Amino acid sequence: TETGVLGMPDSTWFTRTLLAGIKSDAETRRIAYVSLWRNARPEHFFGPWPGSASARDFVRFRHDPLMAFEGDVPDLYRAP
C-alpha cells in the first residue's frame, strides 16, 4: 500500500508510527509491501532526504530486522 504524511511533521514517524503499526500484531507483521508517496516539490514531500528531520529515524526504520528493502531480496525476475 502507499503511505506517508505530507511534510513529515513527526521526526519519528517511521519507527513510532509506521514500524510500530506493522509490528503491532501477527497479521500486520505479514505486510508484503509499503511504498511512500512521492516527493514532488520542496514543500510537498512524504519521504526523507539527507538532512531532513526524519532522515535519522528512517535509517533506524530501514535497519530494523523486520524490514526488507529492494536491495535485500533476490531478483524475482531471474530464474535461479
Side-chain angles (χ1 to χ4, degrees), residues 7-75:
M8 277 293 152
D10 178 356
S11 64
T12 60
W13 183 83
F14 288 100
T15 56
R16 290 183 43 174
T17 302
L18 182 56
L19 185 59
I22 292 170
K23 288 182 159 188
S24 66
D25 65 43
E27 289 300 313
T28 59
R29 284 177 174 265
R30 297 178 66 212
I31 290 174
Y33 174 84
V34 172
S35 176
L36 293 178
W37 294 321
R38 69 187 179 125
N39 290 353
R41 302 177 297 281
E43 71 283 353
H44 189 262
F45 62 92
F46 297 90
W49 64 90
S52 67
S54 61
R56 292 177 74 187
D57 191 54
F58 182 80
V59 171
R60 285 189 291 273
F61 171 80
R62 192 267 175 268
H63 289 292
D64 185 276
L66 187 62
M67 296 295 98
F69 280 60
E70 180 182 13
D72 300 331
V73 296
D75 186 346

Short mmCIF file of all heavy atoms in Angstrom, two decimals, residues 7-75:
data_model
loop_
_atom_site.label_atom_id
_atom_site.label_comp_id
_atom_site.label_asym_id
_atom_site.label_seq_id
_atom_site.Cartn_x
_atom_site.Cartn_y
_atom_site.Cartn_z
N GLY A 7 4.79 16.55 4.42
CA GLY A 7 5.71 17.38 5.17
C GLY A 7 6.42 16.69 6.32
O GLY A 7 7.26 17.29 6.97
N MET A 8 6.10 15.44 6.60
CA MET A 8 6.73 14.68 7.68
C MET A 8 6.92 15.52 8.94
O MET A 8 8.04 15.75 9.38
CB MET A 8 8.08 14.13 7.23
CG MET A 8 8.02 12.86 6.46
SD MET A 8 7.45 11.55 7.52
CE MET A 8 6.70 10.53 6.32
N PRO A 9 5.85 15.99 9.55
CA PRO A 9 6.00 16.84 10.75
C PRO A 9 6.50 16.09 11.98
O PRO A 9 7.00 16.71 12.91
CB PRO A 9 4.58 17.36 10.97
CG PRO A 9 3.69 16.34 10.37
CD PRO A 9 4.46 15.79 9.19
N ASP A 10 6.40 14.77 12.00
CA ASP A 10 6.85 13.97 13.13
C ASP A 10 8.19 13.34 12.77
O ASP A 10 8.26 12.46 11.90
CB ASP A 10 5.81 12.89 13.43
CG ASP A 10 6.19 11.97 14.56
OD1 ASP A 10 7.32 12.09 15.11
OD2 ASP A 10 5.38 11.10 14.92
N SER A 11 9.25 13.74 13.44
CA SER A 11 10.59 13.26 13.10
C SER A 11 10.80 11.78 13.44
O SER A 11 11.79 11.19 13.03
CB SER A 11 11.65 14.10 13.81
OG SER A 11 11.54 13.94 15.22
N THR A 12 9.88 11.16 14.15
CA THR A 12 10.00 9.73 14.48
C THR A 12 8.85 8.91 13.88
O THR A 12 8.56 7.82 14.33
CB THR A 12 10.03 9.52 16.01
OG1 THR A 12 8.82 10.04 16.58
CG2 THR A 12 11.24 10.20 16.64
N TRP A 13 8.23 9.43 12.85
CA TRP A 13 7.07 8.78 12.24
C TRP A 13 7.39 7.38 11.72
O TRP A 13 6.58 6.46 11.86
CB TRP A 13 6.51 9.63 11.10
CG TRP A 13 5.29 9.05 10.49
CD1 TRP A 13 4.02 9.17 10.94
CD2 TRP A 13 5.21 8.24 9.31
NE1 TRP A 13 3.15 8.49 10.12
CE2 TRP A 13 3.85 7.91 9.12
CE3 TRP A 13 6.15 7.77 8.41
CZ2 TRP A 13 3.43 7.13 8.05
CZ3 TRP A 13 5.72 6.99 7.34
CH2 TRP A 13 4.37 6.68 7.18
N PHE A 14 8.56 7.19 11.15
CA PHE A 14 8.89 5.89 10.56
C PHE A 14 8.94 4.78 11.60
O PHE A 14 8.44 3.68 11.36
CB PHE A 14 10.20 5.96 9.78
CG PHE A 14 10.06 6.73 8.51
CD1 PHE A 14 10.48 8.05 8.45
CD2 PHE A 14 9.47 6.18 7.40
CE1 PHE A 14 10.32 8.79 7.29
CE2 PHE A 14 9.29 6.90 6.23
CZ PHE A 14 9.73 8.22 6.18
N THR A 15 9.53 5.04 12.76
CA THR A 15 9.63 3.99 13.78
C THR A 15 8.44 3.98 14.73
O THR A 15 7.94 2.91 15.07
CB THR A 15 10.93 4.12 14.59
OG1 THR A 15 11.00 5.41 15.17
CG2 THR A 15 12.14 3.85 13.72
N ARG A 16 7.97 5.14 15.14
CA ARG A 16 6.91 5.19 16.15
C ARG A 16 5.51 5.00 15.58
O ARG A 16 4.59 4.62 16.30
CB ARG A 16 6.99 6.48 16.93
CG ARG A 16 8.21 6.50 17.83
CD ARG A 16 8.30 7.72 18.67
NE ARG A 16 7.00 8.06 19.23
CZ ARG A 16 6.80 9.01 20.11
NH1 ARG A 16 7.81 9.72 20.52
NH2 ARG A 16 5.60 9.27 20.57
N THR A 17 5.33 5.26 14.28
CA THR A 17 4.00 5.10 13.68
C THR A 17 3.99 3.95 12.67
O THR A 17 3.29 2.97 12.85
CB THR A 17 3.54 6.41 13.01
OG1 THR A 17 3.53 7.45 14.01
CG2 THR A 17 2.16 6.27 12.41
N LEU A 18 4.76 4.08 11.61
CA LEU A 18 4.73 3.06 10.54
C LEU A 18 5.25 1.71 11.04
O LEU A 18 4.55 0.70 10.94
CB LEU A 18 5.52 3.55 9.33
CG LEU A 18 5.54 2.62 8.12
CD1 LEU A 18 4.13 2.28 7.64
CD2 LEU A 18 6.36 3.22 7.00
N LEU A 19 6.45 1.67 11.57
CA LEU A 19 7.02 0.41 12.04
C LEU A 19 6.23 -0.16 13.21
O LEU A 19 5.96 -1.36 13.24
CB LEU A 19 8.49 0.59 12.43
CG LEU A 19 9.23 -0.68 12.83
CD1 LEU A 19 9.23 -1.70 11.69
CD2 LEU A 19 10.66 -0.33 13.24
N ALA A 20 5.81 0.69 14.13
CA ALA A 20 5.01 0.22 15.27
C ALA A 20 3.70 -0.39 14.78
O ALA A 20 3.26 -1.42 15.31
CB ALA A 20 4.74 1.36 16.23
N GLY A 21 3.08 0.20 13.78
CA GLY A 21 1.85 -0.36 13.22
C GLY A 21 2.08 -1.70 12.55
O GLY A 21 1.30 -2.65 12.71
N ILE A 22 3.17 -1.81 11.81
CA ILE A 22 3.49 -3.08 11.15
C ILE A 22 3.76 -4.17 12.18
O ILE A 22 3.36 -5.31 12.02
CB ILE A 22 4.70 -2.90 10.20
CG1 ILE A 22 4.30 -2.00 9.02
CG2 ILE A 22 5.22 -4.24 9.71
CD1 ILE A 22 5.47 -1.56 8.16
N LYS A 23 4.44 -3.82 13.26
CA LYS A 23 4.81 -4.80 14.28
C LYS A 23 3.70 -5.05 15.32
O LYS A 23 3.88 -5.88 16.20
CB LYS A 23 6.06 -4.33 15.03
CG LYS A 23 7.31 -4.40 14.22
CD LYS A 23 8.47 -3.96 15.07
CE LYS A 23 9.77 -4.48 14.53
NZ LYS A 23 10.89 -4.22 15.43
N SER A 24 2.58 -4.39 15.19
CA SER A 24 1.57 -4.42 16.25
C SER A 24 0.92 -5.79 16.49
O SER A 24 0.48 -6.07 17.58
CB SER A 24 0.48 -3.38 15.99
OG SER A 24 -0.26 -3.71 14.84
N ASP A 25 0.85 -6.64 15.49
CA ASP A 25 0.32 -7.99 15.70
C ASP A 25 0.78 -8.91 14.58
O ASP A 25 1.42 -8.49 13.63
CB ASP A 25 -1.20 -7.98 15.84
CG ASP A 25 -1.94 -7.55 14.59
OD1 ASP A 25 -1.58 -7.97 13.48
OD2 ASP A 25 -2.90 -6.79 14.72
N ALA A 26 0.43 -10.19 14.70
CA ALA A 26 0.90 -11.20 13.75
C ALA A 26 0.42 -10.92 12.33
O ALA A 26 1.14 -11.20 11.36
CB ALA A 26 0.45 -12.58 14.19
N GLU A 27 -0.77 -10.40 12.17
CA GLU A 27 -1.29 -10.12 10.82
C GLU A 27 -0.55 -8.96 10.17
O GLU A 27 -0.17 -9.05 9.01
CB GLU A 27 -2.80 -9.82 10.87
CG GLU A 27 -3.63 -11.04 11.18
CD GLU A 27 -3.47 -12.14 10.14
OE1 GLU A 27 -3.52 -11.86 8.93
OE2 GLU A 27 -3.28 -13.30 10.55
N THR A 28 -0.35 -7.87 10.91
CA THR A 28 0.33 -6.73 10.28
C THR A 28 1.80 -7.01 10.04
O THR A 28 2.40 -6.41 9.15
CB THR A 28 0.16 -5.45 11.12
OG1 THR A 28 0.69 -5.66 12.44
CG2 THR A 28 -1.29 -5.03 11.20
N ARG A 29 2.39 -7.95 10.76
CA ARG A 29 3.78 -8.34 10.50
C ARG A 29 3.91 -9.03 9.14
O ARG A 29 5.02 -9.19 8.64
CB ARG A 29 4.30 -9.28 11.59
CG ARG A 29 4.61 -8.58 12.87
CD ARG A 29 5.03 -9.59 13.94
NE ARG A 29 5.47 -8.91 15.12
CZ ARG A 29 6.75 -8.61 15.39
NH1 ARG A 29 7.69 -8.96 14.55
NH2 ARG A 29 7.05 -7.97 16.48
N ARG A 30 2.80 -9.43 8.57
CA ARG A 30 2.83 -10.13 7.28
C ARG A 30 2.66 -9.18 6.10
O ARG A 30 2.54 -9.62 4.96
CB ARG A 30 1.74 -11.19 7.26
CG ARG A 30 1.98 -12.26 8.33
CD ARG A 30 0.90 -13.30 8.35
NE ARG A 30 0.97 -14.04 7.10
CZ ARG A 30 -0.07 -14.56 6.47
NH1 ARG A 30 -1.28 -14.46 6.99
NH2 ARG A 30 0.07 -15.22 5.36
N ILE A 31 2.67 -7.88 6.34
CA ILE A 31 2.55 -6.90 5.26
C ILE A 31 3.68 -7.14 4.27
O ILE A 31 4.84 -7.27 4.64
CB ILE A 31 2.59 -5.46 5.80
CG1 ILE A 31 1.31 -5.17 6.59
CG2 ILE A 31 2.78 -4.46 4.67
CD1 ILE A 31 1.31 -3.83 7.28
N ALA A 32 3.33 -7.18 3.01
CA ALA A 32 4.32 -7.52 1.99
C ALA A 32 4.94 -6.30 1.33
O ALA A 32 6.03 -6.38 0.78
CB ALA A 32 3.67 -8.40 0.93
N TYR A 33 4.26 -5.14 1.40
CA TYR A 33 4.73 -4.03 0.58
C TYR A 33 4.23 -2.71 1.15
O TYR A 33 3.05 -2.57 1.46
CB TYR A 33 4.20 -4.23 -0.84
CG TYR A 33 4.47 -3.10 -1.79
CD1 TYR A 33 5.68 -3.03 -2.45
CD2 TYR A 33 3.51 -2.14 -2.04
CE1 TYR A 33 5.93 -2.00 -3.35
CE2 TYR A 33 3.76 -1.11 -2.93
CZ TYR A 33 4.97 -1.05 -3.58
OH TYR A 33 5.21 -0.04 -4.46
N VAL A 34 5.13 -1.77 1.27
CA VAL A 34 4.77 -0.41 1.66
C VAL A 34 5.54 0.53 0.75
O VAL A 34 6.73 0.35 0.53
CB VAL A 34 5.13 -0.11 3.13
CG1 VAL A 34 4.93 1.35 3.45
CG2 VAL A 34 4.32 -0.97 4.08
N SER A 35 4.87 1.51 0.20
CA SER A 35 5.51 2.49 -0.66
C SER A 35 5.16 3.89 -0.17
O SER A 35 3.99 4.19 0.10
CB SER A 35 5.01 2.32 -2.10
OG SER A 35 5.55 3.32 -2.93
N LEU A 36 6.17 4.74 -0.06
CA LEU A 36 5.91 6.13 0.33
C LEU A 36 5.42 6.91 -0.88
O LEU A 36 5.87 6.67 -2.01
CB LEU A 36 7.18 6.80 0.85
CG LEU A 36 7.72 6.26 2.16
CD1 LEU A 36 9.01 7.00 2.50
CD2 LEU A 36 6.71 6.41 3.27
N TRP A 37 4.55 7.85 -0.63
CA TRP A 37 4.16 8.76 -1.70
C TRP A 37 5.38 9.54 -2.15
O TRP A 37 6.38 9.62 -1.45
CB TRP A 37 3.05 9.69 -1.22
CG TRP A 37 1.78 8.98 -0.92
CD1 TRP A 37 1.22 7.94 -1.61
CD2 TRP A 37 0.88 9.24 0.17
NE1 TRP A 37 0.05 7.54 -1.04
CE2 TRP A 37 -0.18 8.33 0.07
CE3 TRP A 37 0.88 10.14 1.22
CZ2 TRP A 37 -1.23 8.31 0.96
CZ3 TRP A 37 -0.17 10.12 2.11
CH2 TRP A 37 -1.22 9.21 1.97
N ARG A 38 5.27 10.17 -3.27
CA ARG A 38 6.43 10.84 -3.87
C ARG A 38 6.77 12.17 -3.21
O ARG A 38 5.93 12.80 -2.56
CB ARG A 38 6.17 11.08 -5.35
CG ARG A 38 5.11 12.13 -5.59
CD ARG A 38 4.77 12.23 -7.06
NE ARG A 38 3.74 13.24 -7.23
CZ ARG A 38 3.84 14.26 -8.04
NH1 ARG A 38 4.92 14.41 -8.77
NH2 ARG A 38 2.87 15.13 -8.14
N ASN A 39 8.00 12.59 -3.42
CA ASN A 39 8.44 13.92 -3.07
C ASN A 39 8.36 14.74 -4.35
O ASN A 39 9.20 14.61 -5.23
CB ASN A 39 9.88 13.90 -2.54
CG ASN A 39 9.98 13.23 -1.19
OD1 ASN A 39 8.98 12.90 -0.57
ND2 ASN A 39 11.20 13.05 -0.72
N ALA A 40 7.33 15.58 -4.46
CA ALA A 40 7.09 16.31 -5.70
C ALA A 40 7.85 17.63 -5.77
O ALA A 40 8.38 17.99 -6.81
CB ALA A 40 5.59 16.58 -5.87
N ARG A 41 7.87 18.35 -4.67
CA ARG A 41 8.49 19.67 -4.61
C ARG A 41 9.04 19.86 -3.20
O ARG A 41 8.66 19.14 -2.29
CB ARG A 41 7.45 20.76 -4.90
CG ARG A 41 6.75 20.64 -6.24
CD ARG A 41 5.68 21.71 -6.42
NE ARG A 41 4.58 21.63 -5.47
CZ ARG A 41 3.55 20.77 -5.55
NH1 ARG A 41 3.51 19.90 -6.53
NH2 ARG A 41 2.58 20.78 -4.65
N PRO A 42 9.88 20.85 -3.01
CA PRO A 42 10.42 21.07 -1.65
C PRO A 42 9.34 21.26 -0.58
O PRO A 42 9.54 20.85 0.56
CB PRO A 42 11.27 22.33 -1.81
CG PRO A 42 11.69 22.31 -3.25
CD PRO A 42 10.51 21.73 -3.99
N GLU A 43 8.21 21.79 -0.92
CA GLU A 43 7.14 22.00 0.07
C GLU A 43 6.08 20.89 0.03
O GLU A 43 5.11 20.93 0.77
CB GLU A 43 6.48 23.37 -0.14
CG GLU A 43 5.61 23.49 -1.39
CD GLU A 43 6.37 23.65 -2.70
OE1 GLU A 43 7.60 23.81 -2.71
OE2 GLU A 43 5.70 23.62 -3.75
N HIS A 44 6.27 19.90 -0.82
CA HIS A 44 5.30 18.82 -0.98
C HIS A 44 6.06 17.49 -1.00
O HIS A 44 6.42 16.97 -2.05
CB HIS A 44 4.53 19.01 -2.29
CG HIS A 44 3.38 18.07 -2.43
ND1 HIS A 44 3.48 16.92 -3.17
CD2 HIS A 44 2.12 18.10 -1.94
CE1 HIS A 44 2.31 16.28 -3.13
NE2 HIS A 44 1.49 16.98 -2.39
N PHE A 45 6.33 16.95 0.20
CA PHE A 45 7.15 15.75 0.29
C PHE A 45 6.59 14.79 1.33
O PHE A 45 5.88 15.19 2.25
CB PHE A 45 8.61 16.09 0.61
CG PHE A 45 8.79 16.78 1.94
CD1 PHE A 45 9.04 16.05 3.08
CD2 PHE A 45 8.71 18.15 2.03
CE1 PHE A 45 9.20 16.67 4.30
CE2 PHE A 45 8.88 18.80 3.25
CZ PHE A 45 9.12 18.05 4.39
N PHE A 46 6.92 13.52 1.15
CA PHE A 46 6.44 12.45 2.04
C PHE A 46 7.58 11.57 2.53
O PHE A 46 7.40 10.78 3.44
CB PHE A 46 5.41 11.58 1.33
CG PHE A 46 4.18 12.34 0.94
CD1 PHE A 46 4.08 12.96 -0.29
CD2 PHE A 46 3.13 12.45 1.83
CE1 PHE A 46 2.94 13.66 -0.64
CE2 PHE A 46 1.98 13.15 1.49
CZ PHE A 46 1.90 13.77 0.26
N GLY A 47 8.72 11.64 1.92
CA GLY A 47 9.85 10.81 2.31
C GLY A 47 11.04 11.65 2.74
O GLY A 47 11.11 12.84 2.44
N PRO A 48 11.97 11.02 3.42
CA PRO A 48 13.12 11.75 3.92
C PRO A 48 14.18 11.98 2.84
O PRO A 48 14.17 11.34 1.81
CB PRO A 48 13.66 10.83 5.01
CG PRO A 48 13.34 9.47 4.49
CD PRO A 48 12.01 9.62 3.81
N TRP A 49 15.09 12.87 3.12
CA TRP A 49 16.27 13.09 2.31
C TRP A 49 17.38 13.43 3.29
O TRP A 49 17.10 13.79 4.44
CB TRP A 49 16.05 14.19 1.26
CG TRP A 49 15.80 15.54 1.87
CD1 TRP A 49 16.74 16.48 2.20
CD2 TRP A 49 14.54 16.08 2.26
NE1 TRP A 49 16.14 17.57 2.76
CE2 TRP A 49 14.77 17.35 2.81
CE3 TRP A 49 13.23 15.62 2.20
CZ2 TRP A 49 13.76 18.16 3.30
CZ3 TRP A 49 12.23 16.44 2.69
CH2 TRP A 49 12.49 17.69 3.22
N PRO A 50 18.63 13.31 2.91
CA PRO A 50 19.73 13.60 3.83
C PRO A 50 19.57 15.00 4.45
O PRO A 50 19.38 15.98 3.74
CB PRO A 50 20.98 13.53 2.95
CG PRO A 50 20.59 12.57 1.87
CD PRO A 50 19.13 12.87 1.60
N GLY A 51 19.59 15.03 5.75
CA GLY A 51 19.45 16.30 6.47
C GLY A 51 18.04 16.66 6.88
O GLY A 51 17.84 17.59 7.65
N SER A 52 17.05 15.94 6.38
CA SER A 52 15.66 16.24 6.77
C SER A 52 15.40 15.77 8.20
O SER A 52 16.14 14.94 8.74
CB SER A 52 14.67 15.60 5.81
OG SER A 52 14.71 14.20 5.89
N ALA A 53 14.36 16.29 8.82
CA ALA A 53 14.06 15.99 10.22
C ALA A 53 13.83 14.50 10.47
O ALA A 53 14.13 13.99 11.55
CB ALA A 53 12.85 16.78 10.68
N SER A 54 13.32 13.78 9.49
CA SER A 54 13.02 12.36 9.69
C SER A 54 14.08 11.42 9.13
O SER A 54 13.93 10.20 9.18
CB SER A 54 11.66 12.03 9.07
OG SER A 54 11.69 12.28 7.68
N ALA A 55 15.17 11.95 8.61
CA ALA A 55 16.19 11.11 7.96
C ALA A 55 16.81 10.10 8.93
O ALA A 55 16.95 8.93 8.58
CB ALA A 55 17.28 11.98 7.34
N ARG A 56 17.17 10.52 10.12
CA ARG A 56 17.79 9.60 11.07
C ARG A 56 16.82 8.49 11.48
O ARG A 56 17.20 7.34 11.64
CB ARG A 56 18.29 10.36 12.29
CG ARG A 56 19.47 11.27 11.93
CD ARG A 56 19.92 12.08 13.10
NE ARG A 56 20.64 11.21 14.01
CZ ARG A 56 21.06 11.57 15.19
NH1 ARG A 56 20.84 12.78 15.63
NH2 ARG A 56 21.69 10.72 15.96
N ASP A 57 15.54 8.86 11.66
CA ASP A 57 14.55 7.86 12.03
C ASP A 57 14.32 6.88 10.89
O ASP A 57 14.12 5.69 11.12
CB ASP A 57 13.24 8.55 12.42
CG ASP A 57 12.26 7.59 13.05
OD1 ASP A 57 12.64 6.92 14.04
OD2 ASP A 57 11.12 7.50 12.57
N PHE A 58 14.37 7.36 9.65
CA PHE A 58 14.21 6.47 8.51
C PHE A 58 15.35 5.44 8.47
O PHE A 58 15.12 4.27 8.17
CB PHE A 58 14.17 7.25 7.19
CG PHE A 58 13.97 6.37 6.01
CD1 PHE A 58 12.70 5.91 5.68
CD2 PHE A 58 15.04 5.97 5.23
CE1 PHE A 58 12.51 5.07 4.59
CE2 PHE A 58 14.86 5.13 4.13
CZ PHE A 58 13.58 4.69 3.82
N VAL A 59 16.56 5.85 8.81
CA VAL A 59 17.68 4.92 8.85
C VAL A 59 17.42 3.85 9.92
O VAL A 59 17.66 2.66 9.68
CB VAL A 59 19.01 5.67 9.11
CG1 VAL A 59 20.15 4.70 9.37
CG2 VAL A 59 19.33 6.57 7.93
N ARG A 60 16.90 4.24 11.07
CA ARG A 60 16.55 3.24 12.10
C ARG A 60 15.47 2.29 11.59
O ARG A 60 15.54 1.08 11.80
CB ARG A 60 16.09 3.94 13.38
CG ARG A 60 17.22 4.57 14.17
CD ARG A 60 16.77 5.07 15.52
NE ARG A 60 15.89 6.22 15.45
CZ ARG A 60 16.28 7.48 15.40
NH1 ARG A 60 17.57 7.77 15.42
NH2 ARG A 60 15.41 8.45 15.32
N PHE A 61 14.47 2.83 10.92
CA PHE A 61 13.40 2.04 10.31
C PHE A 61 13.99 1.04 9.30
O PHE A 61 13.69 -0.13 9.32
CB PHE A 61 12.41 2.99 9.61
CG PHE A 61 11.38 2.33 8.76
CD1 PHE A 61 10.25 1.76 9.32
CD2 PHE A 61 11.53 2.30 7.38
CE1 PHE A 61 9.28 1.17 8.53
CE2 PHE A 61 10.57 1.71 6.58
CZ PHE A 61 9.44 1.14 7.16
N ARG A 62 14.85 1.52 8.45
CA ARG A 62 15.44 0.70 7.40
C ARG A 62 16.27 -0.46 7.97
O ARG A 62 16.30 -1.54 7.43
CB ARG A 62 16.33 1.58 6.51
CG ARG A 62 16.78 0.95 5.21
CD ARG A 62 18.12 0.26 5.38
NE ARG A 62 18.52 -0.45 4.20
CZ ARG A 62 18.27 -1.73 3.96
NH1 ARG A 62 17.56 -2.44 4.79
NH2 ARG A 62 18.71 -2.34 2.88
N HIS A 63 16.93 -0.22 9.10
CA HIS A 63 17.80 -1.25 9.68
C HIS A 63 17.08 -2.17 10.67
O HIS A 63 17.70 -3.08 11.21
CB HIS A 63 19.01 -0.61 10.34
CG HIS A 63 19.96 -0.04 9.33
ND1 HIS A 63 20.70 -0.82 8.47
CD2 HIS A 63 20.26 1.25 9.02
CE1 HIS A 63 21.41 -0.05 7.68
NE2 HIS A 63 21.17 1.21 7.99
N ASP A 64 15.79 -2.00 10.86
CA ASP A 64 15.06 -2.92 11.72
C ASP A 64 15.08 -4.31 11.08
O ASP A 64 14.90 -4.44 9.86
CB ASP A 64 13.61 -2.44 11.90
CG ASP A 64 12.87 -3.31 12.88
OD1 ASP A 64 12.34 -4.37 12.47
OD2 ASP A 64 12.82 -2.94 14.07
N PRO A 65 15.28 -5.36 11.86
CA PRO A 65 15.37 -6.71 11.30
C PRO A 65 14.13 -7.16 10.52
O PRO A 65 14.23 -8.02 9.64
CB PRO A 65 15.57 -7.60 12.53
CG PRO A 65 16.07 -6.71 13.59
CD PRO A 65 15.52 -5.34 13.30
N LEU A 66 12.98 -6.59 10.79
CA LEU A 66 11.77 -6.98 10.08
C LEU A 66 11.70 -6.39 8.67
O LEU A 66 11.03 -6.94 7.81
CB LEU A 66 10.53 -6.55 10.89
CG LEU A 66 9.18 -7.02 10.38
CD1 LEU A 66 9.10 -8.55 10.38
CD2 LEU A 66 8.06 -6.44 11.23
N MET A 67 12.41 -5.32 8.42
CA MET A 67 12.32 -4.62 7.15
C MET A 67 13.20 -5.27 6.08
O MET A 67 14.30 -5.71 6.36
CB MET A 67 12.75 -3.16 7.30
CG MET A 67 11.86 -2.33 8.20
SD MET A 67 10.19 -2.15 7.54
CE MET A 67 9.32 -3.43 8.42
N ALA A 68 12.69 -5.33 4.88
CA ALA A 68 13.45 -5.78 3.72
C ALA A 68 13.20 -4.77 2.61
O ALA A 68 12.06 -4.50 2.25
CB ALA A 68 13.01 -7.16 3.27
N PHE A 69 14.26 -4.20 2.11
CA PHE A 69 14.17 -3.25 1.01
C PHE A 69 14.53 -3.94 -0.29
O PHE A 69 15.04 -5.07 -0.29
CB PHE A 69 15.10 -2.06 1.28
CG PHE A 69 14.52 -1.06 2.23
CD1 PHE A 69 14.18 -1.41 3.52
CD2 PHE A 69 14.31 0.25 1.83
CE1 PHE A 69 13.64 -0.49 4.41
CE2 PHE A 69 13.77 1.19 2.70
CZ PHE A 69 13.43 0.82 4.00
N GLU A 70 14.30 -3.27 -1.40
CA GLU A 70 14.51 -3.88 -2.71
C GLU A 70 15.89 -4.54 -2.83
O GLU A 70 16.02 -5.65 -3.34
CB GLU A 70 14.35 -2.83 -3.80
CG GLU A 70 14.54 -3.38 -5.19
CD GLU A 70 14.42 -2.32 -6.26
OE1 GLU A 70 14.43 -1.11 -5.94
OE2 GLU A 70 14.31 -2.70 -7.43
N GLY A 71 16.92 -3.89 -2.35
CA GLY A 71 18.26 -4.44 -2.45
C GLY A 71 18.52 -5.62 -1.54
O GLY A 71 19.55 -6.28 -1.66
N ASP A 72 17.61 -5.90 -0.62
CA ASP A 72 17.78 -7.01 0.33
C ASP A 72 17.20 -8.32 -0.17
O ASP A 72 17.45 -9.37 0.42
CB ASP A 72 17.08 -6.68 1.66
CG ASP A 72 17.62 -5.44 2.32
OD1 ASP A 72 18.80 -5.12 2.12
OD2 ASP A 72 16.84 -4.77 3.04
N VAL A 73 16.41 -8.28 -1.21
CA VAL A 73 15.75 -9.50 -1.70
C VAL A 73 16.34 -9.89 -3.05
O VAL A 73 16.86 -9.04 -3.79
CB VAL A 73 14.22 -9.30 -1.83
CG1 VAL A 73 13.60 -9.04 -0.46
CG2 VAL A 73 13.88 -8.19 -2.77
N PRO A 74 16.28 -11.17 -3.39
CA PRO A 74 16.83 -11.59 -4.69
C PRO A 74 16.01 -11.02 -5.84
O PRO A 74 14.84 -10.65 -5.67
CB PRO A 74 16.72 -13.12 -4.63
CG PRO A 74 15.71 -13.42 -3.59
CD PRO A 74 15.73 -12.27 -2.62
N ASP A 75 16.63 -10.98 -7.00
CA ASP A 75 15.94 -10.53 -8.20
C ASP A 75 14.84 -11.54 -8.53
O ASP A 75 15.12 -12.67 -8.92
CB ASP A 75 16.93 -10.42 -9.36
CG ASP A 75 16.32 -9.84 -10.62
OD1 ASP A 75 15.07 -9.75 -10.70
OD2 ASP A 75 17.09 -9.46 -11.51
#
